[in-house]
Amino acid sequence: MGRLLTVTGLTTEFRTERGIVSAVKNVSYHLDEGEILGLVGESGCGKSVSQLSLMQLIPTPPGKIVAGEAVFMGADLLKYEKNSKEMSQIRGKNISMIFQEPMTSLNPSMTIAKQMSEMVLMHEKVTKKEAIERSADMLSQVGIPDAAKRLEDYPYQLSGGMRQRVMVGIAMICNPKMIIADEATTALDATIQAQLLELLYEIVGRYHTALVMVTHNLGIVARYANRINVMYAGHIVETGTVKEIWANPLHPYTEGLIHCVPKLGERLLPIKGMPPSLIGRPPTCPFLSRCQYRQKSCFEENVADLTYVDGGTHATACNVRLKEAGQ
Amino acid sequence: MISYIIRRLLYAVLIVILVSVTVFTLIRLLPGDPIEILVSQDIMQDAARDPEYYARLRSEYGLDKPIPIQFINWFFKMLRGDFGKSIIRKFDILGEMKSRIVVTLSLGIVSFIISNVVGILLGILSAIRRGKIVDTVVTVIANIGVTAPTFWIAILLIYFIGFKLKLLPLYGYTLPWKDFGTSVRQSIMPVFVMALGPISMTCRQARSSILEVLNQDHVRTAWSKGLTERKVIFRHVLKNGLMPVVTLQGTMIAMIFGGSAIVETIFVIPGMGKMMVDGMLSQDYPVVQVVTLMLTFVVVLANLLVDLMYGWIDPRIQYE
Ligand SMILES: Nc1ncnc2c1ncn2[C@@H]1O[C@H](COP(=O)(O)OP(=O)(O)OP(=O)(O)O)[C@@H](O)[C@H]1O
Ligand SMILES: [Mg+2]
């Protein structure tokens, strides 16, 4: 498997009236071709912002990518101008996104046919007719019956689950190298959610497309992903394969998250406390205030960089665990 | 759809009748009447002082009957196409109106088109250049345009541009197909005055609704598809962003034609607005009645068109 994406030191801030919000701080990760990567963390920890930064879709102002690089197939995406030709050839053609809100992510005053085919017409040299045919084909691939007829519908005529299928179709139609699904199923009810996840899993597998699954549900990620990034307060605090993370979490926050996954007959153990403010936070460990394993030294030391343990695939940013591991 | 149009037409008729009844009643409740004015203009002063002569004139014009009866008489005359005559100046109302409605409509339509084009363009510009100098300048001007009284702007223009600088004629109006150059020169100030409010309101509405749409999820989706800025703005932002602007246009039409009374009076333009004001001042009942009826008709019809257009733009609207 070839390396598709390498993000290094990504840092994104929002300049607000109350101060500078460090939404994403020094985030580094990578993604291989055809790989499924989970990105988990509580609401507001910077999952969406980190992914939108990559696509240069952060609202500027107030947002700004202040540091980092994101090398995708050999070129740094963050070097491109926000609305440049290069960037527009990345978006949709090479990396596409599926968003959380099925009710609002499609244009309400445009038919499904137009919204799907405009993507093909933008990136490929095809006629309108061919683009429509491709759209119909894609629509049936994402499990929408009567595709040719449905193409003429407006989004309000479809259910939430159907719309999300359309979003998957749009994301896949130009056969991208990578898809970012930002809580693509969170807003749907459980059965529809499961169907959609299966669909997504099946379709990226068929086309060997890499997938970043953004969610706050560790259970979902554990089922589908190869590797997991755990995010907290703008930092990636732990990364590893699903097995490593599940069997041997190396960060107290991950441990807490695992206890939050519902299992039959067991009581949930919610993580106590609230995530810290992202404005003017000190350089110490962001999880400090909620950590049950914290030591005196944690209050004095800067938070560690994400460091691999034993040179393997498992890394943590917990000072205590790193010391225990002799790093 | 058809039944919707029929229902809207019935509403329109209802509104026209309601306005007629109110205007009809209210002008009669005001102190004084046209006969008094007519009599006071009479050169035969002796006859004027004669109460019997006064009473005879009143009954000649049917003004001695109770108001509801007068209304019904008038209404059926109107239905027969008899618009009546001016009491004070004796002209035939229909004939007079024919020439005047062209003037008011041509000024009004030009103002309407200009207010839409300019208002929408400025709104778009200031939305997509939000926070830049263009935006600040446009916003300040639009705020002035919304609040500044029409007559004040008109007087300033007449004084500085017409009187001091002598750039444009002070008053009067010529139809464009009679003498285009003169028509344009005479139209500039009145059209500016009529369109300023609508331009400003359209601009503010366009700016705020476009800004709102720019932040909507589906626009982010459009960007994420790799569409160019031009495609995102024209295809995904404008159509949705301009819908509230379309709804606003009904009000703008009412504003423009309502404002014609003031503008035509200030610039001495022989249109419906001026006719109405003259009629009011001399309490010329039949003139006021017919002119307000006509202006109401224009506004109601225009509003109906706007509503239908809105449904055509927004597929989610279903006429029931
Ligand atoms: N436009 C903005 N202006 C100011 N702050 C912002 C803006 N967008 C995001 N943020 C801040 O960035 C932080 C990260 O937000 P982000 O949307 O990435 O969270 P998330 O992990 O995706 O959460 P969720 O699970 O709720 O989607 C939040 O704390 C938020 O306050
Ligand atoms: Mg999010």
Side-chain angles (χ1 to χ4, degrees), chain B residues 41-252:
Chain B
Q41 286 177 350
D42 214 314
I43 7 163
M44 295 163 68
Q45 291 292 327
D46 287 339
R49 260 179 251 118
D50 178 6
E52 221 167 279
Y53 174 65
Y54 179 81
R56 206 176 61 237
L57 273 180
R58 268 181 69 92
S59 79
E60 210 172 279
Y61 287 101
L63 297 178
D64 52 344
K65 299 198 182 71
I67 294 179
I69 304 284
Q70 288 185 38
F71 182 78
I72 290 168
N73 285 342
W74 174 73
F75 189 77
F76 281 103
K77 264 191 178 171
M78 290 287 296
L79 282 187
R80 270 183 276 126
D82 177 4
F83 284 51
K85 281 185 169 199
S86 155
I87 295 180
I88 310 292
R89 275 179 260 162
K90 313 293 185 206
F91 57 74
D92 175 53
I93 296 180
L94 184 62
E96 178 74 14
M97 222 169 44
K98 268 186 193 152
S99 69
R100 285 174 174 257
I101 201 157
V102 183
V103 172
T104 301
L105 279 182
S106 66
L107 274 175
I109 290 172
V110 169
S111 306
F112 180 68
I113 293 173
I114 288 182
S115 84
N116 267 279
V117 174
V118 178
I120 288 174
L121 284 181
L122 288 180
I124 295 172
L125 189 70
S126 96
I128 58 183
R129 295 275 172 271
R130 180 190 190 171
K132 305 271 159 62
I133 295 176
V134 202
D135 180 30
T136 318
V137 172
V138 169
T139 305
V140 168
I141 292 177
N143 283 339
I144 294 174
V146 168
T147 42
T150 312
F151 66 88
W152 178 68
I153 300 281
I155 290 167
L156 285 184
L157 284 182
I158 291 178
Y159 183 74
F160 287 105
I161 296 185
F163 186 67
K164 282 278 174 198
L165 298 173
K166 301 207 185 336
L167 290 176
L168 292 169
L170 292 169
Y171 57 84
Y173 185 70
T174 315
L175 286 167
W177 47 89
K178 297 258 166 63
D179 177 351
F180 190 73
T182 313
S183 177
V184 169
R185 282 161 41 79
Q186 286 176 330
S187 301
I188 292 178
M189 290 200 288
V191 165
F192 180 83
V193 172
M194 277 206 259
L196 185 64
I199 287 178
S200 310
M201 285 190 199
T202 304
C203 169
R204 292 215 301 192
Q205 178 66 63
R207 177 181 184 272
S208 73
S209 49
I210 285 172
L211 278 180
E212 201 186 308
V213 174
L214 274 174
N215 285 321
Q216 275 170 6
D217 294 333
H218 74 81
V219 173
R220 190 180 56 189
T221 307
W223 283 117
S224 81
K225 288 172 166 178
L227 301 179
T228 55
E229 180 169 21
R230 180 186 298 234
K231 288 211 169 93
V232 173
I233 301 286
F234 280 90
R235 230 184 256 169
H236 291 271
V237 176
L238 288 193
K239 194 170 170 193
N240 294 298
L242 292 182
M243 277 186 207
V245 176
V246 175
T247 349
L248 183 73
Q249 293 317 309
T251 320
M252 295 300 99

Side-chain angles (χ1 to χ4, degrees), chain A residues 57 83 88 91-92 99 101 104-110 115 118-119 123 154 156, chain B residues 217-218 220-221 223-229 231 235-236 239-240 243 315-316 318:
Chain A
L57 288 176
N83 293 335
S88 105
R91 296 182 190 139
F99 298 99
E101 305 79 7
T104 53
S105 289
L106 290 165
N107 186 335
S109 64
M110 215 189 237
Q115 301 194 47
E118 73 171 352
M119 177 103 152
H123 296 299
Y154 287 94
Y156 74 93
Chain B
D217 294 333
H218 74 81
R220 190 180 56 189
T221 307
W223 283 117
S224 81
K225 288 172 166 178
L227 301 179
T228 55
E229 180 169 21
K231 288 211 169 93
R235 230 184 256 169
H236 291 271
K239 194 170 170 193
N240 294 298
M243 277 186 207
R316 282 168 302 182
Q318 245 126 63

Side-chain angles (χ1 to χ4, degrees), chain A residues 132-174:
Chain A
I132 298 282
E133 279 162 14
R134 278 266 295 280
S135 309
D137 176 52
M138 199 65 230
L139 219 49
S140 45
Q141 284 195 50
V142 293
I144 292 187
D146 238 353
K149 237 196 215 149
R150 280 302 158 129
L151 274 180
E152 294 313 311
D153 282 354
Y154 287 94
Y156 74 93
Q157 291 165 302
L158 304 178
S159 68
M162 291 274 233
R163 284 185 222 185
Q164 229 31 358
R165 282 173 190 266
V166 171
M167 284 300 291
V168 174
I170 292 177
M172 285 300 297
I173 200 164
C174 289

Side-chain angles (χ1 to χ4, degrees), chain A residues 47-49 100 182-183 214:
Chain A
K47 302 183 297 291
S48 299
V49 172
Q100 175 173 357
D182 189 354
E183 315 215 26
V214 179

